[in-house]
C-alpha cells in the first residue's frame, strides 16, 4: 500500500478526531477548514492547558500543536500528553514558524512525531496527517499483536511449566533456583521418584534461551517422566533422551545436562554428566568435596549408535549433597564485564563452614558479584541432599493405599518369563514385567512394592546367581563403586545362563496374593547362613535379602538357593497390611 | 521587485479553500494583528523581551499564513534584534510595525471589497 491511497483504519465508521492547538485564531480557522474538508471531526484549543484538557475529554486520534503558545507551550503540553497516553500512540504534529534545526529537533525530542512549517500547504498537511495516522494504526496493530503474543506465551508457559517443572521439585532434599531470562527458561529441571522409591533428577541447559530453547524440554521431559515412572535405569533413560533430541533438534542445537539417580536406601548415586559445568559432591561427615567433570558430549549430538553413556557411581550417604548448575551461573557478568567464574563458586565451598548453607552462600556470592546488572543467560542451581528413606517418607509409599475394588481387572492367572544370556546382558525386563502385573487393579495400590520385589529378585539372581558377586564387597564405604564396576564388567562378558521368572496371582477373600519365583542357572548360595546373618542385623540396613524380607509376606529358597519364591498379599483393608 | 503587502497568490488559495469563511478569516486576522501590534508596542516600551518575543512570533505565524509578507519581514527583524540583544534599533522597527499595520488594514479592506 502506498501513502497516497492509504485510508486510516476506522473500523467503527466513527469520524476520526483531530485536535488543533494554536493561539492564532486565523491559523485555527485555516487548519479547521482544511481538516474538516478531509472528513475529520475537529477539536480546538488556544493554548497548551486547553490542549491537555481537550485531549483527556475528546480522545483525539491526532494532534496538531503550535510550539509557542501562552500559558503552556506546545512542547510541555506534548510531553504531558505523551506521558498520559501510555502504550497508545497519539501522533503529535508540531505547527511552527521556527526553522532553525535545534528548534525543530527539540519538537521531536518533546515527543512530536513530525512538524509542519507555516505557511500551511494543504496538500502537505493532508499527507502528513495520513502518514501519522498510518503510523498510529501500525502501532495499534503491533500493540495488539504483542498482546496476543504475550497471551499465547503465557498459555504456552503454563503448559510448559506443567510438563517441564511438574515433577517433585518440592521433595525433601531438593533445593533449586530457576532464573529465566525471558518468559521461558532455556534450562530444564526435572525431578521424579522411581517405582522403587529412589529419585531421578535431570538438569538441562539448551542452546540459546527463551521459547526456542524451552521447546526442546518437552520431548525430554516426556522421556524422563515416562521412563522414570516405569523404573528404567539411568543408562536407558539417558540413551532414550539423547535419541529423541538427536532426532528432533536441528543441527547446532543441543542440550548440556546431568542425570542423577539416587538409590532408594540412601547409599549410592549414579550420575551421567554431558557438557554441563563441573559438579560438586559434598560429603557431610568428612567435610570433603569431590569435583566431577563432564565426560560425555551434550544430548542431541551423537546418534544412538555413537552414544555410549559414561556414568559415575559414588557412595552418597545421609546428609551428603550434590551441587549442579548450568553455565549461566558461572558466566554471569558484573558491570566490569567480568564473569562470575568457576573459581568464585569453588571458593564458596572452600569458605563455607556450615554445609547446609552452601546453597544460599552461592546465591549470595552471585548477587554480590553481579549487583543489579541484567543477566544475559538463564541459570539454574540445584542441590540434592541424600536422605535415608524414612526421612523422605518413601518407605510409607511402599505401603498399600486404599483403592476402589469395583474393577479388579485380571484376577487368577500365571505367567512365565525366561531370559537367556544375551537378553540378560542387554535388556532390563523389570519395567515391562511391572507394567504387565499392573493389569491387576489391586496391585496398583502396591505398585512400588511390586516393582521393588521384582527388581530385587532379578538383581539377586544376576548378581549372586549368574555373576557370582560377593555381597560382602558392598559393606565398606568404598565398596559400592567397586561392586558396581565389577558387576558391569562381568555382565558384559556373560555368555551363558538363564533366569526364569514365574508370576502367579490368586484371589483371596479380601484382596489377592502375588507369588513370584525367580530361578537362575547359577550355583546357588548358602541361603541359610545369609538369612541367619540378616536376622542379626537391623532390617533397614540395606537392600537385597534384608529388603526382600521386609517387604514380602513369605520368602523361601529352593534348589540350593538358585530359586527364590516370594509372596505378597494385598487387601482392600490397608490396616491389615504390615 | 518590492514585496507586496499581501501576497495575491496566497490570498487566492485561501479564498478558494475557505469560500464564504474567507471574509471571516480577514476580519479575524485584522483584529488579531491590531491587538498583537499594540501588545508589541507595550512590551517594547516596558522592555519585557520574553513577552515581546512570543507576541512577535505569534504575529509572524499569522502573517505567514495569510501572506502578509512585509509584516513577516518586520517581525523577523525584531526577532533578530531580540536574539542578538542589540536593542538600539528596536524602537524604530516597532514604529515601522505600527505604521505598516495601517497600510495592511488598507490592503485588507481592498481584499474585502474585492
Amino acid at each position: 500500500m502506498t501513502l497516497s491511497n492509504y485510508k486510516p483504519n476506522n473500523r467503527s465508521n466513527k469520524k476520526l478526531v483531530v485536535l488543533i492547538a494554536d493561539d492564532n485564531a486565523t491559523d485555527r480557522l485555516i487548519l479547521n477548514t482544511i481538516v474538516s474538508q478531509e472528513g475529520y471531526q475537529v477539536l480546538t484549543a488556544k493554548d497548551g492547558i486547553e490542549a491537555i484538557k481537550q485531549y483527556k475529554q475528546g480522545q483525539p486520534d491526532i494532534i496538531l500543536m503550535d510550539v509557542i503558545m501562552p500559558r503552556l507551550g506546545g512542547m510541555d503540553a506534548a510531553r504531558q500528553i505523551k506521558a498520559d497516553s501510555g502504550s497508545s500512540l497519539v501522533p503529535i504534529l508540531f505547527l511552527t514558524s521556527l526553522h532553525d534545526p535545534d528548534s525543530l529537533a527539540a519538537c521531536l525530542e518533546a515527543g512530536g512525531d513530525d512538524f509542519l512549517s507555516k505557511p500551511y500547504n494543504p496538500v502537505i498537511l493532508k499527507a502528513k496527517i495520513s502518514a501519522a495516522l498510518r503510523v498510529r494504526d501500525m502501532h495499534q496493530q503491533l500493540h495488539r499483536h504483542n498482546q496476543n503474543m504475550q497471551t499465547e506465551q503465557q498459555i504456552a508457559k503454563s503448559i510448559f511449566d506443567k510438563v517441564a517443572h511438574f515433577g517433585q521439585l518440592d521433595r525433601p532434599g531438593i533445593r533449586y533456583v530457576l532464573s529465566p531470562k525471558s518468559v521461558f527458561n532455556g534450562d530444564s529441571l526435572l525431578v521424579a521418584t522411581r517405582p522403587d522409591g529412589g529419585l531421578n533428577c535431570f538438569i538441562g541447559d539448551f542452546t540459546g534461551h527463551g521459547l526456542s530453547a524451552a521447546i526442546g524440554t518437552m520431548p525430554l521431559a516426556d522421556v524422563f517422566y515416562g521412563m522414570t515412572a516405569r523404573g528404567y535405569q539411568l543408562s536407558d533413560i539417558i540413551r532414550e533422551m539423547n535419541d529423541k533430541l538427536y532426532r528432533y533438534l536441528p543441527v547446532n542445537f543441543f542440550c548440556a545436562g546431568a542425570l542423577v539417580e539416587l538409590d532408594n536406601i540412601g547409599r549410592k548415586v549414579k550420575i551421567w554428566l554431558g557438557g554441563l559445568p563441573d559438579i560438586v559432591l559434598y560429603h557431610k561427615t568428612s567435610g570433603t568435596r569431590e569435583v566431577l567433570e563432564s565426560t560425555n558430549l551434550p544430548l542431541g549430538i551423537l546418534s544412538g549408535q555413537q552414544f555410549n553413556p559414561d556414568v559415575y557411581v559414588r557412595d552418597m550417604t545421609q546428609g551428603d549433597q550434590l551441587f549442579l548448575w548450568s553455565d549461566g551461573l558461572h558466566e554471569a557478568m558484573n558491570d566490569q564485564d567480568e564473569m562470575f567464574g568457576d573459581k568464585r563458586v569453588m571458593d564458596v565451598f572452600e569458605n563455607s563452614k556450615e554445609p547446609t548453607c552452601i546453597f544460599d552462600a552461592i546465591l549470595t556470592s552471585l548477587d554480590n558479584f553481579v549487583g543489579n546488572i541484567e543477566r544475559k543467560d538463564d541459570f539454574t542451581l540445584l542441590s540434592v541432599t541424600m536422605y535415608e528413606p524414612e526421612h523422605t517418607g518413601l518407605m510409607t509409599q511402599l505401603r498399600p493405599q486404599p483403592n476402589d475394588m469395583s474393577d479388579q481387572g485380571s484376577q487368577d492367572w500365571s505367567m512365565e518369563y525366561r531370559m537367556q544370556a544375551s537378553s540378560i546382558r542387554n535388556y532390563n525386563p523389570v519395567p515391562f514385567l511391572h507394567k504387565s502385573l499392573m493389569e491387576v487393579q489391586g496391585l496398583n495400590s502396591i505398585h512400588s512394592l511390586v516393582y521393588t520385589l521384582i527388581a530385587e529378585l532379578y538383581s539377586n539372581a544376576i548378581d549372586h546367581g549368574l555373576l557370582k558377586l560377593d555381597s560382602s564387597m558392598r559393606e565398606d564405604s568404598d565398596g559400592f563403586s567397586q561392586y558396581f564396576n565389577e558387576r558391569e564388567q562381568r555382565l558384559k562378558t556373560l555368555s551363558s545362563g538363564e533366569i526364569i521368572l514365574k508370576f502367579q496371582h490368586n484371589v483371596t477373600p479380601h484382596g489377592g496374593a502375588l507369588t513370584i519365583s525367580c530361578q537362575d542357572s547359577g550355583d546357588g548360595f548358602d541361603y541359610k547362613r545369609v538369612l541367619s546373618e540378616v536376622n542379626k542385623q537391623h532390617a533397614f540396613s540395606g537392600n537385597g535379602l534384608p529388603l526382600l524380607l521386609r517387604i514380602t509376606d513369605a520368602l523361601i529358597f529352593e534348589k540350593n538357593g538358585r530359586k527364590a519364591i516370594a509372596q505378597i498379599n494385598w487387601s482392600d483393608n490397608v490396616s491389615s497390611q504390615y | 521587485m518590492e514585496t507586496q503587502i499581501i501576497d495575491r497568490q496566497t490570498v487566492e488559495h485561501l479564498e478558494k479553500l475557505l469560500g464564504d469563511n474567507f471574509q471571516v478569516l480577514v476580519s479575524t486576522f485584522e483584529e488579531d494583528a491590531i491587538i498583537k501590534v499594540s501588545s508589541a508596542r507595550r512590551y517594547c516600551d516596558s522592555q519585557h523581551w520574553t513577552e515581546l518575543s512570543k507576541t512577535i512570533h505569534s504575529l509572524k505565524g499569522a502573517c505567514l499564513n495569510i501572506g502578509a509578507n512585509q509584516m513577516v519581514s518586520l517581525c523577523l527583524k525584531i526577532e533578530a534584534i531580540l536574539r542578538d540583544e542589540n536593542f538600539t534599533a528596536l524602537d524604530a522597527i516597532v514604529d515601522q510595525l505600527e505604521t505598516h499595520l495601517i497600510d495592511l488594514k488598507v490592503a485588507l479592506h481592498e481584499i474585502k471589497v474585492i
Side-chain angles (χ1 to χ4, degrees):
Chain A
M1 179 179 281
T2 62
L3 185 63
S4 59
N5 66 4
Y6 172 77
K7 294 292 176 207
N9 185 4
N10 187 15
R11 289 189 178 84
S12 64
N13 289 326
K14 184 174 160 273
K15 274 187 174 182
L16 290 168
V17 180
V18 180
L19 169 61
I20 297 166
D22 198 313
D23 61 325
N24 266 328
T26 49
D27 287 8
R28 287 200 301 277
L29 184 59
I30 294 169
L31 288 169
N32 195 334
T33 306
I34 297 170
V35 172
S36 300
Q37 282 176 1
E38 284 301 298
Y40 301 113
Q41 184 190 333
V42 176
L43 300 173
T44 56
K46 291 196 284 290
D47 55 45
I49 290 171
E50 269 190 27
I52 292 168
K53 193 176 163 192
Q54 287 282 40
Y55 164 74
K56 287 178 179 167
Q57 288 176 353
Q59 296 293 305
D61 297 287
I62 185 168
I63 300 170
L64 309 180
M65 179 96 79
D66 192 12
V67 179
I68 297 173
M69 291 187 286
R71 296 211 293 168
L72 186 70
M75 290 194 202
D76 289 333
R79 282 190 197 96
Q80 198 163 325
I81 287 168
K82 287 285 178 181
D84 289 350
S85 62
S87 58
S88 61
L89 174 70
V90 183
I92 297 178
L93 268 60
F94 275 113
L95 311 165
T96 179
S97 46
L98 300 170
H99 292 282
D100 63 294
D102 287 346
S103 300
L104 297 177
C107 291
L108 299 181
E109 281 165 13
D113 297 281
D114 202 349
F115 39 78
L116 191 69
S117 297
K118 298 177 184 180
Y120 304 127
N121 181 315
V123 177
I124 290 174
L125 175 61
K126 288 174 202 168
K128 288 207 173 193
I129 290 175
S130 288
L133 288 172
R134 186 177 61 147
V135 170
R136 187 205 58 153
D137 282 356
M138 286 165 119
H139 181 273
Q140 285 177 344
Q141 214 170 3
L142 196 66
H143 186 62
R144 278 196 299 274
H145 283 172
N146 195 37
Q147 278 184 320
N148 289 343
M149 195 182 74
Q150 280 182 351
T151 307
E152 283 174 0
Q153 279 210 349
Q154 288 300 336
I155 293 167
K157 180 176 163 50
S158 90
I159 296 169
F160 170 77
D161 283 345
K162 280 180 184 152
V163 174
H165 307 139
F166 171 69
Q168 297 163 312
L169 289 168
D170 57 349
R171 207 184 116 132
I174 299 291
R175 282 200 71 188
Y176 69 95
V177 171
L178 270 164
S179 156
K181 187 177 158 15
S182 57
V183 175
F184 287 100
N185 195 317
D187 291 353
S188 48
L189 189 53
L190 314 171
V191 177
T193 304
R194 294 194 305 280
D196 67 0
L199 185 74
N200 284 358
C201 306
F202 177 80
I203 175 171
D205 178 6
F206 279 88
T207 324
H209 49 76
L211 180 61
S212 60
I215 209 157
T217 300
M218 307 289 270
L220 212 57
D222 206 30
V223 172
F224 174 83
Y225 291 126
M227 291 185 78
T228 298
R230 289 197 291 278
Y232 280 95
Q233 292 179 344
L234 178 137
S235 53
D236 296 329
I237 298 174
I238 203 68
R239 191 179 286 282
E240 183 59 24
M241 285 170 118
N242 178 71
D243 280 2
K244 207 140 208 184
L245 291 188
Y246 181 75
R247 285 200 303 272
Y248 290 172
L249 297 186
V251 179
N252 296 328
F253 198 75
F254 51 83
C255 178
L259 182 60
V260 176
E261 180 188 293
L262 269 67
D263 70 4
N264 61 346
I265 53 167
R267 294 285 294 276
K268 190 171 59 176
V269 63
K270 291 183 192 172
I271 305 156
W272 177 92
L273 259 178
L276 213 63
D278 295 351
I279 69 169
V280 175
L281 176 56
Y282 187 89
H283 295 286
K284 183 187 174 189
T285 39
S286 61
T288 56
R289 65 174 193 272
E290 185 180 6
V291 177
L292 304 176
E293 294 176 0
S294 281
T295 51
N296 300 279
L297 283 173
L299 299 170
I301 294 175
L302 298 174
S303 69
Q305 288 82 9
Q306 296 167 310
F307 189 78
N308 190 20
D310 182 17
V311 177
Y312 287 106
V313 181
R314 292 291 184 271
D315 291 340
M316 191 172 173
T317 53
Q318 187 178 1
D320 289 355
Q321 294 177 80
L322 196 61
F323 292 89
L324 308 98
W325 56 87
S326 60
D327 60 8
L329 177 75
H330 62 243
E331 287 176 4
M333 307 277 251
N334 67 4
D335 56 3
Q336 307 292 311
D337 278 348
E338 286 175 304
M339 278 192 190
F340 187 53
D342 279 335
K343 188 178 177 305
R344 286 186 179 84
V345 184
M346 293 305 165
D347 283 350
V348 174
F349 286 97
E350 190 71 37
N351 300 326
S352 284
K353 299 205 168 35
E354 176 49 60
T356 54
C357 296
I358 294 173
F359 187 91
D360 293 315
I362 293 172
L363 293 180
T364 305
S365 176
L366 177 71
D367 283 346
N368 290 341
F369 175 79
V370 174
N372 295 323
I373 304 297
E374 190 191 350
R375 288 179 184 146
K376 289 179 182 165
D377 195 6
D378 303 317
F379 91 86
T380 300
L381 173 64
L382 169 70
S383 80
V384 185
T385 306
M386 180 66 98
Y387 281 105
E388 297 287 351
E390 52 267 39
H391 286 92
T392 59
L394 292 178
M395 277 313 195
T396 58
Q397 285 177 21
L398 293 175
R399 294 284 170 271
Q401 300 294 315
N403 70 309
D404 181 4
M405 300 292 287
S406 58
D407 178 13
Q408 299 298 330
S410 185
Q411 297 282 303
D412 298 315
W413 53 269
S414 64
M415 71 174 182
E416 183 178 297
Y417 190 85
R418 285 171 181 261
M419 292 188 77
Q420 308 301 321
S422 62
S423 296
I424 295 167
R425 278 200 310 271
N426 300 316
Y427 178 63
N428 173 17
V430 179
F432 161 72
L433 293 169
H434 178 254
K435 195 180 174 201
S436 303
L437 293 178
M438 289 307 108
E439 290 296 311
V440 180
Q441 200 72 21
L443 289 177
N444 274 307
S445 61
I446 51 169
H447 68 96
S448 301
L449 197 64
V450 173
Y451 188 93
T452 305
L453 183 56
I454 309 167
E456 287 300 329
L457 286 171
Y458 182 69
S459 156
N460 280 341
I462 294 181
D463 290 13
H464 308 307
L466 300 185
L467 303 181
K468 300 179 177 58
L469 287 160
D470 184 357
S471 60
S472 64
M473 282 171 72
R474 298 190 295 192
E475 285 170 9
D476 61 72
S477 60
D478 299 324
F480 265 117
S481 310
Q482 201 187 337
Y483 183 89
F484 181 83
N485 291 334
E486 188 63 33
R487 185 185 193 278
E488 291 290 295
Q489 286 304 318
R490 291 191 192 184
L491 190 60
K492 271 184 192 167
T493 54
L494 183 72
S495 58
S496 64
E498 184 183 48
I499 294 175
I500 305 165
L501 284 149
K502 288 183 182 174
F503 301 86
Q504 184 174 341
H505 185 260
N506 296 311
V507 176
T508 61
H510 298 290
L514 175 69
T515 308
I516 305 175
S517 80
C518 183
Q519 184 178 330
D520 64 70
S521 59
D523 298 336
F525 71 106
D526 186 357
Y527 62 91
K528 288 177 184 166
R529 182 185 61 80
V530 175
L531 284 174
S532 74
E533 284 175 7
V534 166
N535 287 333
K536 292 175 201 164
Q537 297 167 3
H538 192 279
F540 282 100
S541 62
N543 55 0
L545 270 181
L547 183 62
L548 282 175
L549 283 167
R550 277 199 65 235
I551 64 176
T552 53
D553 290 286
L555 177 68
I556 57 169
F557 289 93
E558 293 178 353
K559 297 183 187 293
N560 199 26
R562 290 193 290 114
K563 184 176 181 181
I565 303 168
Q567 186 176 320
I568 49 173
N569 301 318
W570 61 271
S571 168
D572 55 329
N573 183 354
V574 178
S575 61
S576 72
Q577 298 282 319
Y578 298 91
Chain B
M1 194 174 73
E2 193 185 339
T3 311
Q4 292 175 307
I5 295 176
I6 295 184
D7 179 62
R8 292 297 311 170
Q9 202 177 0
T10 305
V11 167
E12 281 166 17
H13 283 310
L14 288 173
E15 278 182 303
K16 196 174 166 188
L17 176 74
L18 296 168
D20 294 342
N21 271 338
F22 179 71
Q23 295 299 335
V24 178
L25 175 77
V26 173
S27 303
T28 307
F29 172 78
E30 186 178 339
E31 288 164 21
D32 192 45
I34 292 166
I35 293 168
K36 283 194 165 80
V37 171
S38 165
S39 297
R41 175 79 268 167
R42 195 168 65 252
Y43 292 136
C44 176
D45 293 346
S46 61
Q47 301 186 357
H48 283 102
W49 308 133
T50 306
E51 297 305 317
L52 176 62
S53 173
K54 282 184 182 176
T55 304
I56 292 298
H57 182 83
S58 184
L59 178 64
K60 181 184 73 177
C63 293
L64 273 168
N65 275 329
I66 207 163
N69 293 344
Q70 288 187 14
M71 187 74 104
V72 170
S73 300
L74 290 170
C75 289
L76 287 170
K77 281 181 186 171
I78 295 171
E79 282 187 331
I81 286 169
L82 291 171
R83 197 167 47 245
D84 299 341
E85 297 183 356
N86 181 4
F87 302 110
T88 46
L90 183 62
D91 196 52
I93 306 281
V94 175
D95 282 347
Q96 285 181 36
L97 201 66
E98 287 176 305
T99 310
H100 184 72
L101 180 61
I102 297 163
D103 297 338
L104 186 60
K105 281 160 81 175
V106 173
L108 289 172
H109 182 70
E110 285 171 3
I111 288 171
K112 276 187 189 176
V113 172
I114 293 164

